[in-house]
Amino acid sequence: MSTGPYSTPEELVSALYSTSSTLPGPFQELNESFLLGSAYLVFFMHCGFAMLSIGCVRAKFAKHIAILILVDATASALGFYLFGYAFAYGDDASSDGLSPAGNAFIGKNFFAMDNMAPTTYYNWVFQWTFAATACTIVSGAIAERTRFEAYILYSLFMSSWVYPVLIHSIWSSSGWASAFRKGTDINELVGGGYLLFGSGAIDFAGSGAVHMVGGYAAFAGAWVLGPRIGRFLPDGTSVDMAGHNTSLFVLGVMILWFGWYGFNPGSQLAIVSPTGSTYSIASAVSNAAVTTSLAPAAAGLTGLFVTAILLKIKTGKHHWDIMAMGNSTLAGLVAITAGCSTVYPWAAIAIGIVSGIIYPLASRLMVLIRIDDPLDAIAVHAFNGTWGVWAVGLFGAKNLINTSYGYNPYTTGDRHYGCFMGGGGNLLAAQVVYSIWLGAWVLANMFTFFYVLKLLGYFRVNAADEAAGLDASHHGGSAYPLDLDDDASHKGSSYNGNQSGYNKNELDSIRSELASLRQSIGKNRSADNGVANGTRAEAMPGGNMV
């Protein structure tokens, strides 16, 4: 085995655990390699998003949802390159050359990576993969009815403005809510000192910064866009529009879980520390990996049983819903993301159990208020992202926080920790304030953005194209062609809906869907006449999939 500049493995190990305050070059490169490897795992999550999303939509929208996932990867890279990274991390250096002296709200350097040292490019790659993930969450909530062009604009707006400002507040050393906040030339904040409530908020890998952002933006988009045609009848009864491929859904869940091992442990940004100790950086990374395993496990099983109980109460029957289990598993992953390095394994299980309860209830709430979310992105990401941020204020452990974040830079003592762990309420207060800011920022920006698109007539496809399926009408044909004959290929309609262009199979599909809708309306009218006999039953929202 090669030991580089060291003669023996023993010398290499000695250097690794030296008391030096800085790392030798090879070990700094090891940290950079660790971060790049984590970035590749996070980017691979887009394969999971693609599989899950395609499985959760109807077959005639498979191409459409797939291209939205690709848009998030491409448009977000350009948006983050041009503006996003600068707004997020473009801080100035203070006069002492050590602590940042940047704006507490936004950065101002490194636009288009200008003057950015090539030795820091690895960090750009890692941070961009998170921006792309935040963008992707929204695609599921507005699936099957959104104009492709509008989605490109959305992804650019999210990655270049909305998301970067938020992560500056929590992950930049100048951010007003950040636990990393430093400097003597910044105005004091609420609670004394330069840390929010003397603590700063902890959102280690982004339950708030990534998942709440995506989830709240998804809510804004689904609200402004409105439900799919036929999703809700005039009396409010929901009509199930289940996805077409459960196997792809499960594959997507497992790929996402796998990628989360880059998302959460990688957010420590290093795996080798200059000094070895009982609680080292590597131990923080390992703790993040353990909690990333336990929280989704607890959430998946809890959500499965809670959904079965709710079905039993409503219909007198139950079944084991794989969609609910998969979505609950993702909900547990979302919730543990904020505190994966700072809570004990038993606390991760508790956080996961609560997530498994929150998801099915939140899914049904969205149906109750007539928010059409084909993938249940809001229930998974908005609700459980919020819970994950708050959970750190409850379960954050003193020694784990000190290990992952370092000691309080102003008192040089212990940081504030979770109130359930005896740490008082400072950390919880910081978590709540941070989550309120995050929700307000996202909703204000995204409601405005989506509403402007709607006013311009640029947000939603026309009814004829939606009924035909966007694969045929906007993307050149079905993802599952019945034959390979060019003359029978799916041509689709014009974007203005002025030409039909549909082949016989597509027209038959439209007629079948219209007949099914008429039948549903007829049954509903019959049910109106038999309410006293209890014949009306609202479709269970469990048919929605994340």
Side-chain angles (χ1 to χ4, degrees):
M1 126 180 169
S2 173
T3 58
Y6 304 99
S7 301
T8 66
E10 288 73 21
E11 288 185 19
L12 186 148
V13 172
S14 177
L16 177 61
Y17 290 106
S18 70
T19 58
S20 170
S21 60
T22 59
L23 287 169
F27 298 109
Q28 177 59 32
E29 292 171 359
L30 178 60
N31 284 337
E32 294 173 4
S33 298
F34 168 71
L35 198 62
L36 283 172
S38 298
Y40 304 151
L41 280 175
V42 176
F43 186 72
F44 185 64
M45 291 173 73
H46 286 270
C47 297
F49 280 121
M51 295 298 97
L52 182 143
S53 299
I54 292 170
C56 287
V57 299
R58 290 172 289 174
K60 60 185 179 179
F61 297 97
K63 276 187 177 179
H64 180 70
I65 193 68
I67 201 170
L68 298 189
I69 305 297
L70 283 172
V71 164
D72 285 317
T74 54
S76 70
L78 296 177
F80 202 67
Y81 165 76
L82 292 171
F83 303 105
Y85 190 85
F87 288 148
Y89 296 108
D91 296 317
D92 291 324
S94 63
S95 57
D96 62 14
L98 299 175
S99 54
N103 187 289
F105 178 73
I106 196 169
K108 64 177 184 179
N109 300 304
F110 311 135
F111 291 101
M113 299 176 74
D114 184 44
N115 292 323
M116 187 173 169
T119 53
T120 63
Y121 282 4
Y122 70 94
N123 188 56
W124 184 94
V125 175
F126 184 74
Q127 300 300 338
W128 160 64
T129 61
F130 277 59
T133 300
C135 291
T136 301
I137 292 167
V138 177
S139 62
I142 58 178
E144 301 193 5
R145 61 223 194 261
T146 304
R147 289 189 65 165
F148 169 70
E149 305 92 333
Y151 195 81
I152 295 175
L153 295 177
Y154 148 74
S155 194
L156 287 169
F157 182 62
M158 173 68 88
S159 60
S160 63
W161 172 248
V162 178
Y163 173 78
V165 170
L166 284 170
I167 63 171
H168 180 87
S169 71
I170 188 66
W171 288 337
S172 165
S173 296
S174 297
W176 66 269
S178 175
F180 303 114
R181 186 177 173 89
K182 299 176 183 177
T184 58
D185 50 356
I186 304 175
N187 293 329
E188 293 191 8
L189 297 177
V190 177
Y194 299 105
L195 298 174
L196 182 63
F197 292 102
S199 169
I202 290 178
D203 188 7
F204 182 76
S207 289
V210 176
H211 297 283
M212 279 183 69
V213 170
Y216 279 61
F219 177 81
W223 181 285
V224 174
L225 191 61
R228 290 167 289 176
I229 296 173
R231 179 67 175 97
F232 297 104
L233 299 180
D235 67 350
T237 301
S238 63
V239 176
D240 186 25
M241 292 182 171
H244 76 285
N245 195 317
T246 303
S247 298
L248 288 179
F249 168 80
V250 175
L251 177 61
V253 170
M254 298 309 297
I255 291 175
L256 286 171
W257 192 345
F258 176 71
W260 236 286
Y261 289 111
F263 206 95
N264 284 0
S267 290
Q268 188 63 52
L269 307 183
I271 196 168
V272 177
S273 54
T275 58
S277 64
T278 301
Y279 297 108
S280 64
I281 287 179
S283 71
V285 173
S286 298
N287 192 81
V290 170
T291 56
T292 302
S293 303
L294 293 176
L301 288 173
T302 301
L304 177 69
F305 282 99
V306 169
T307 300
I309 291 170
L310 292 175
L311 285 168
K312 180 70 172 179
I313 293 172
K314 189 171 185 66
T315 67
K317 302 177 182 179
H318 81 273
H319 64 265
W320 302 113
D321 190 340
I322 191 172
M323 315 307 296
M325 186 178 189
N327 289 341
S328 297
T329 299
L330 295 176
L333 287 164
V334 167
I336 198 58
T337 297
C340 57
S341 71
T342 61
V343 303
Y344 288 119
W346 65 263
I349 294 174
I351 292 169
I353 290 172
V354 174
S355 294
I357 297 171
I358 290 175
Y359 162 69
L361 296 179
S363 174
R364 284 151 178 77
L365 175 62
M366 290 299 100
V367 174
L368 183 65
I369 63 175
R370 302 186 67 173
I371 296 295
D372 183 16
D373 180 359
L375 269 73
D376 266 353
I378 301 166
V380 170
H381 297 277
F383 283 85
N384 286 283
T386 304
W387 158 238
V389 170
W390 293 354
V392 179
L394 303 176
F395 294 105
K398 177 174 67 175
N399 63 316
L400 297 181
I401 292 175
N402 288 336
T403 298
S404 189
Y405 282 78
Y407 290 100
N408 188 303
Y410 302 103
T411 67
T412 68
D414 293 328
R415 288 183 178 268
H416 290 284
Y417 52 101
C419 59
F420 284 0
M421 311 298 288
N426 291 58
L427 177 57
L428 179 60
Q431 300 299 106
V432 172
V433 169
Y434 163 63
S435 66
I436 292 172
W437 140 251
L438 191 154
W441 173 259
V442 174
L443 292 176
N445 277 274
M446 297 315 304
F447 266 123
T448 302
F449 178 81
F450 286 134
Y451 194 69
V452 169
L453 287 180
K454 182 177 180 178
L455 288 178
L456 295 174
Y458 211 66
F459 194 16
R460 184 165 185 152
V461 300
N462 64 53
D465 288 351
E466 182 179 343
L470 298 185
D471 288 2
S473 58
H474 283 215
H475 301 292
S478 171
Y480 310 100
L482 298 179
D483 57 65
L484 301 179
D485 186 331
D486 289 339
D487 292 334
S489 64
H490 299 276
K491 296 186 175 75
S493 72
S494 69
Y495 272 47
N496 295 322
N498 295 326
Q499 301 175 22
S500 64
Y502 304 123
N503 66 23
K504 182 179 183 300
N505 292 322
E506 291 166 345
L507 291 173
D508 289 341
S509 176
I510 295 171
R511 293 188 186 100
S512 176
E513 182 171 344
L514 291 173
S516 177
L517 183 58
R518 292 191 190 99
Q519 185 178 15
S520 297
I521 294 172
K523 288 181 178 179
N524 185 64
R525 288 173 177 168
S526 297
D528 288 340
N529 297 326
V531 170
N533 297 323
T535 58
R536 179 180 298 172
E538 181 181 36
M540 291 297 291
N544 283 354
M545 315 164 207
V546 139

